[in-house]
Amino acid sequence: MPAPRLRPAAALALVAALAALGLGPAATPAAAATVPVGAGSHSDTRPPGTSGPTTNTGAPVTPKVTAAAQGRPVPTNDWWSSLAFQRYGDNPYSTPMYGHPLTYQATAAGLDVGYPTSPAVVGEGRQYEYAHKRDLTIGLTGLNAPDTKVDGWSDWTVTPYWSDGARTLRTTIGHGMPFVYARGTGGDARVTTAGTPAVFADQGNVLGITVAGHHYALFAPTGADWNIAGSTLTAGLAGKDYFSVAVLPSPEALATFRTYAYSFVTGSTVNWSSSQGTVRATYTLSTEAKEGTERGTLQALYRHQWLHTTDALTPYTYVSPRGTMKVRAAASFTTAQKAAPVLPALPRAAGTDTARLRGYLGEVVNSADPFSGAVDTYWTGKALGKLAQLVPVADQIGEGAVRDRLLGLIKGRLQEWFTAGGASEFSYDRVWKTLTGYPASYGSDTELNDHHFHYGYYVYAAAIVAQYDPGWAADSAWGGMVKTLVRDTANPSRTDAAYPFLRGFDVYAGHSWASGHQGFAAGNNQESSSESTNLSAALVLWGAATGDVGLRDLGTYLLTTEGEAIAQYWFDADQQVFPASFGHDTAGMVWGSGAAYATWWTANPEEIHGINVLPVTGGSLHLGGHKEAVRRNLAEMERENGGPAVEWRDLLWEFRSLADPAAAKAQWDAGHAAYTPEAGESRAHTYHWITTLDTLGAPDPAVTADLPTAAVFTKGTTRTYAAHNHGSTARTVTFSDGRTLSVPARSTATATGPGSTDPDPQPPPGNTFQLRSGGTLTTATGGTEGADVLLSAQGANHDGTPYRPLVYEARGVHAALRPGAATAFRLQVDAGTAVGLGQQARVSYDLTGDGTFERTETYHYFATDPVTGWEDYTAARGLKSATGTLGDLRGGTVRLEVWSAIGNGDSRLRTGADRSVVVIPYG
């Protein structure tokens, strides 16, 4: 069910309590102009001459909700927000909404429903879309409503409401829901189809039809009967007020869907946790049995979800703009992912010349205007971010005066914005329950766009200040205003009367949306996914610096989830999402209906690619988890650009360094003398970033840590472990490969080597196995390089089941299990120029060598590119499935199987020379 509404008295009590803590607007009279928050304040009336939310004609607009939803903070920036935000004055219903697999649009007669399955490529090949096209309309006989309102919502479901005075209709729709659940009064159930339907099943109250090649089932209450009159289908409700409609994967699925047709979804909730380097999220639908006792349901999982769940899935699938959706028959499922790392800055490295870096820092702090004339929320934010990136860098090289000068600049500008009444301030809108910064920009005021983009920079800068000045960040000082920005953009509370739950982040879609009103034919959109993750990384750093573990772990959940969504839906990392007809490896913008190789303001390829990279910070390391996607991305940029980057070269050098640090360093060496830094960048930060990764190597996603502010880098066979401890006492950080690192209070520490204790120990004996041609796993190093042939999958799908595998074994292994450790591997594979191949690995453990494997781990396959050259397939792809339990090895066997999961061609697996290795979780 939707999150419970607070009674007015309880709501006022909550608001007053929050205000007392410096966390939000107090229950002050409407005439009050300033709301104190700690040492700062915001206004509760807009500055003269400014606007709040409006229609496209400039008329003020209020949330379009029913009496039942009055007073609840409306979640703008969602996939369905056009139901509540009437951006276009002549449309009181909605624009198309993309729930996936179904699409929707509210009209006077009810809810139009479609299931687009064929993509169109438009805009000279720059955009693909599965555009909404009506298959049928769900309504009531005679319904002709003057508008549609929102009656309720939960984490990813919404209930639109229609009333024409004589009839009322409510439908519950949501992401991943193949069903539309309807409740109506004053008329019979009515479904009108876009063309004459073909009936494939008529079971009285259950009807199966095919419309435009799509199969639907209509479920009326027991005792009712569907009447067919051309394209109009009606059914009396037999004294009840409910019916449902489902899109079917095939006509044969009707019986399964009938089982769940009367288990009505009443709400949706995600719960998350972050522990020991793993982020877990459970997605649950609450249901009500309208008939019988069935309380389960069917949910379609997006690719970023089913890649990371071991929960059982049905054979049913759907088409979507995000690739194949897979169906689960249950009211909940759980995902588990390796946590995305965040650092306040990359650690100090020997390859960075201190004198040169000192000179670059001076360029920034000694400039006439370090804020480059910024006055609005966005450009001020970028300037704050640029300065904040340099604070830890200056500190690393002992430049305390520069560090403090930077901190002073940041504090001064934040405090200006965090104090009402000046030229820049934040204003709380009591109607829309949002905090808007003025001067505003890019529709952050009139359309409620981009708050997460803008405010993420403020939170990030405040987190860096908090790292060095905890007193400044106290609630009684300036931290209260920082938390107020967090509540506006990423509020973890569902019962806060002042701000909605996670305004910008769509928990089921796995990423944020930029438009506050969602008033487009293509649904909602998001361009700069990286500015969205900038907010998530800022939450990690702010939570860590202020001791707010809940907020820190929220940031980790958001960053980890969105990081995978970005890889799949912006960068098509596995090459399984974008339709072949699209012809691009990268999307600059993701829409509800698809994606576009574009930005809002330019067709320049550098900016199309760079907009999903900036700002580059210690929260950008997740982009290095799919290195081949980074290479494809940059190769496409250079093809489209007619050569290397010219305008945003610094951002793209930094992006390249996440996959190929030496190549990025070579580009810096060749081009640093004559380039203009991007507005949120500086030579100091770019030089530090590129030279550090050139020294340490690229991020290693295979290894995680039990602290969110830790990361691992690998160069050749050497790992560098880094962690920042925001706490006031020293702590030991444990990495998933067994390494431990002692980190002093309020410090960053590093160590190298694949060991397990600090400082710089040797690796546990027998922990790392090299592959040798002929089927051997050995702990010996220095073998002769070779390659084994991975035979073709012969055009069939062998995902999860070994097919003509290469098998490598080590026998007679004695080793003790390391608690909390996990299997890791790096397998170098090459598909040559073959298209559409994917290699898969399974690691099995026979604990006693008796021929019975007590533990088997199957990993998601790796989609190779059609470019000759070795690619790294690592355990970071994640577990597809696992059976059994690990224990100590006592003369046991470790087995690796590698095969072609998909494709119609042979590929190669590199052996010898320590290039392909398996690391077992043993000492």
Side-chain angles (χ1 to χ4, degrees):
M1 67 178 63
R5 293 174 59 226
L6 293 173
R7 293 188 179 93
L12 289 174
L14 175 63
V15 173
L18 290 168
L21 294 173
L23 301 183
T28 54
T34 299
V35 179
V37 183
S41 60
H42 61 74
S43 63
D44 69 353
T45 54
R46 287 188 293 274
T50 64
S51 297
T54 64
T55 67
N56 60 314
T57 61
V61 63
T62 58
K64 200 154 55 76
V65 299
T66 66
Q70 286 288 344
R72 289 185 63 191
V74 175
T76 58
N77 305 75
D78 217 328
W79 68 273
W80 55 263
S81 292
S82 64
L83 281 168
F85 194 137
Q86 187 178 340
R87 177 61 178 165
Y88 296 95
D90 58 351
N91 180 3
Y93 304 103
S94 81
T95 54
M97 301 172 289
Y98 292 81
H100 306 146
L102 291 173
T103 61
Y104 316 97
Q105 185 167 11
T107 67
L111 184 70
D112 287 356
V113 177
Y115 173 41
T117 52
S118 297
V121 175
V122 299
E124 298 180 341
R126 300 174 73 88
Q127 181 167 345
Y128 78 85
E129 57 182 16
Y130 292 77
H132 167 70
K133 183 178 181 181
R134 170 182 172 265
D135 283 343
L136 50 84
T137 300
I138 298 171
L140 300 173
T141 54
L143 179 64
N144 184 23
D147 59 20
T148 308
K149 295 182 172 68
V150 180
D151 194 51
W153 57 84
S154 56
D155 288 6
W156 63 89
T157 65
V158 64
T159 299
Y161 170 89
W162 295 257
S163 175
D164 61 9
R167 288 157 288 268
T168 64
L169 173 69
R170 292 173 174 86
T171 62
T172 296
I173 55 178
H175 278 314
M177 285 170 48
F179 283 95
V180 176
Y181 304 96
R183 291 175 295 138
T185 62
D188 294 340
R190 180 182 66 184
V191 174
T192 56
T193 57
T196 301
V199 178
F200 63 80
D202 189 346
Q203 302 167 7
N205 68 317
V206 176
L207 191 66
I209 62 173
T210 301
V211 182
H214 304 140
H215 311 295
Y216 290 90
L218 284 56
F219 302 96
T222 298
D225 190 12
W226 287 98
N227 176 65
I228 305 170
S231 60
T232 300
L233 302 89
T234 58
L237 296 179
K240 304 297 194 294
D241 68 349
Y242 56 83
F243 64 103
S244 65
V245 176
V247 62
L248 304 179
S250 68
E252 293 72 27
L254 177 60
T256 298
F257 277 68
R258 182 171 186 166
T259 300
Y260 302 102
Y262 302 100
S263 177
F264 274 43
V265 167
T266 57
S268 55
T269 306
V270 62
N271 290 292
W272 60 85
S273 65
S274 177
S275 177
Q276 302 299 313
T278 299
V279 173
R280 289 181 172 82
T282 298
Y283 300 83
T284 302
L285 293 174
S286 54
T287 62
E288 174 188 2
K290 293 293 188 181
E291 293 184 11
T293 59
E294 179 60 58
R295 295 293 300 275
T297 190
L298 297 168
Q299 326 185 48
L301 279 64
Y302 283 115
R303 180 175 182 81
H304 77 275
Q305 294 169 325
W306 58 256
L307 279 174
H308 297 285
T309 188
T310 56
D311 292 342
L313 303 175
T314 72
Y316 300 131
T317 62
Y318 289 104
V319 173
S320 88
R322 311 291 180 253
T324 299
M325 301 183 80
K326 298 187 177 183
V327 177
R328 174 162 166 78
S332 69
F333 64 90
T334 297
T335 61
Q337 291 180 253
K338 292 180 182 294
V342 179
L343 291 172
L346 295 184
R348 185 174 184 178
T352 304
D353 182 270
T354 301
R356 189 172 181 181
L357 180 57
R358 186 178 295 115
Y360 287 146
L361 286 167
E363 291 179 3
V364 177
V365 297
N366 297 323
S367 65
D369 179 8
F371 290 93
S372 304
V375 294
D376 62 43
T377 49
Y378 179 70
W379 291 101
T380 298
K382 282 181 70 75
L384 286 166
K386 176 180 70 176
L387 299 178
Q389 291 166 0
L390 299 179
V391 172
V393 172
D395 192 51
Q396 284 176 13
I397 62 172
E399 286 293 318
V402 173
R403 175 202 63 205
D404 293 344
R405 168 68 174 149
L406 291 165
L407 286 170
L409 289 168
I410 295 167
K411 289 179 186 178
R413 189 55 59 96
L414 286 174
Q415 289 167 200
E416 287 178 21
W417 277 89
F418 289 170
T419 303
S424 53
E425 67 173 17
F426 286 96
S427 172
Y428 181 71
D429 187 315
R430 295 174 179 272
V431 175
W432 282 96
K433 299 186 185 300
T434 187
L435 193 74
T436 303
Y438 293 94
S441 52
Y442 305 111
S444 60
D445 50 355
T446 57
E447 302 177 49
L448 300 186
N449 295 341
D450 300 356
H451 284 201
H452 58 316
F453 293 167
H454 297 205
Y455 303 171
Y457 287 106
Y458 290 72
V459 179
Y460 176 86
I464 296 298
V465 173
Q467 179 178 327
Y468 293 91
D469 187 352
W472 183 93
D475 289 346
S476 58
W478 300 97
M481 278 299 296
V482 179
K483 288 186 176 181
T484 305
L485 266 64
V486 171
R487 287 171 66 207
D488 180 72
T489 54
N491 190 3
S493 172
R494 297 178 180 87
T495 57
D496 187 338
Y499 296 95
F501 171 68
L502 296 180
R503 180 186 303 280
F505 191 77
D506 187 326
V507 295
Y508 204 88
H511 60 81
S512 299
W513 296 111
S515 169
H517 55 77
Q518 186 262 309
F520 303 96
N524 213 325
N525 72 88
Q526 177 151 275
E527 182 182 60
S528 183
S529 60
S530 50
E531 286 181 305
S532 180
T533 55
N534 184 49
L535 171 62
S536 303
L539 296 179
V540 174
L541 295 176
W542 174 262
T546 60
D548 190 333
V549 174
L551 203 56
R552 182 199 69 183
D553 290 351
L554 167 63
T556 301
Y557 161 67
L558 297 177
L559 179 62
T560 301
T561 305
E562 190 154 22
E564 180 67 354
I566 291 165
Q568 297 299 331
Y569 311 140
W570 273 260
F571 298 158
D572 198 14
D574 299 334
Q575 298 181 288
Q576 297 292 310
V577 174
F578 295 171
S581 55
F582 180 44
H584 290 282
D585 293 321
T586 302
M589 304 172 69
V590 163
W591 288 89
S593 65
Y597 187 77
T599 72
W600 275 109
W601 79 97
T602 182
N604 179 7
E606 297 182 32
E607 289 159 274
I608 291 172
H609 290 257
I611 192 60
N612 288 296
V613 175
L614 64 83
V616 176
T617 73
S620 304
L621 301 176
H622 68 93
L623 294 171
H626 297 272
K627 293 180 175 57
E628 198 51 44
V630 174
R631 297 184 185 108
R632 285 198 305 270
N633 185 305
L634 290 167
E636 178 178 30
M637 186 280 297
E638 294 190 351
R639 288 195 306 271
E640 295 285 334
N641 204 45
V646 176
E647 294 181 23
W648 280 7
R649 62 180 78 178
D650 45 0
L651 289 172
L652 297 171
W653 291 337
E654 291 170 306
F655 187 38
R656 189 181 298 277
S657 69
L658 294 169
D660 298 304
K665 175 62 162 50
Q667 288 188 319
W668 160 269
D669 288 340
H672 74 272
Y675 83 97
T676 301
E678 187 272 331
E681 265 296 344
S682 62
R683 281 185 176 80
H685 179 258
T686 302
Y687 173 70
H688 179 267
W689 180 274
I690 289 174
T691 55
T692 299
L693 291 182
D694 183 51
T695 303
L696 305 183
D700 187 343
V703 184
T704 59
D706 63 356
L707 183 70
T709 50
V712 179
F713 307 87
T714 297
K715 183 173 185 178
T717 58
T718 300
R719 280 179 175 154
T720 297
Y721 302 79
H724 185 84
N725 174 16
H726 286 87
S728 58
T729 59
R731 65 162 294 165
T732 297
V733 177
T734 301
F735 293 85
S736 60
D737 64 354
R739 177 76 189 209
T740 59
L741 179 62
S742 178
V743 189
R746 298 193 176 95
S747 300
T748 296
T750 61
T752 59
S756 61
T757 56
D758 189 46
D760 295 331
Q762 296 300 308
N767 157 277
T768 301
F769 290 88
Q770 322 289 333
L771 277 64
R772 297 288 185 264
S773 292
T776 299
L777 291 176
T778 176
T779 57
T781 60
T784 301
E785 182 175 328
D788 291 342
V789 176
L790 281 161
L791 296 175
S792 168
Q794 298 183 319
N797 188 323
H798 302 289
D799 185 8
T801 304
Y803 177 71
R804 302 193 296 177
L806 295 172
V807 180
Y808 305 84
E809 285 189 342
R811 297 177 179 270
V813 180
H814 295 270
L817 181 67
R818 294 202 312 273
T823 304
F825 60 78
R826 180 187 68 216
L827 305 175
Q828 291 202 319
V829 294
D830 177 28
T833 58
V835 176
L837 306 192
Q839 296 76 36
Q840 193 157 32
R842 183 164 79 178
V843 181
S844 304
Y845 298 88
D846 171 359
L847 301 181
T848 60
D850 63 357
T852 299
F853 286 87
E854 285 82 5
R855 171 73 171 178
T856 300
E857 301 172 355
T858 303
Y859 291 82
H860 290 295
Y861 69 76
F862 176 75
T864 45
D865 66 26
V867 179
T868 300
W870 298 109
E871 302 176 68
D872 288 346
Y873 172 24
T874 72
R877 289 294 301 120
L879 280 171
K880 176 180 176 65
S881 63
T883 61
T885 304
L886 285 168
D888 292 348
L889 286 165
R890 303 184 184 281
T893 299
V894 178
R895 174 184 291 175
L896 168 70
E897 298 166 90
V898 189
W899 68 97
S900 296
I902 58 172
N904 198 11
D906 295 343
S907 55
R908 297 186 302 153
L909 173 62
R910 200 174 189 182
T911 61
D914 310 333
R915 300 296 187 179
S916 295
V917 299
V918 177
V919 181
I920 64 173
Y922 290 85

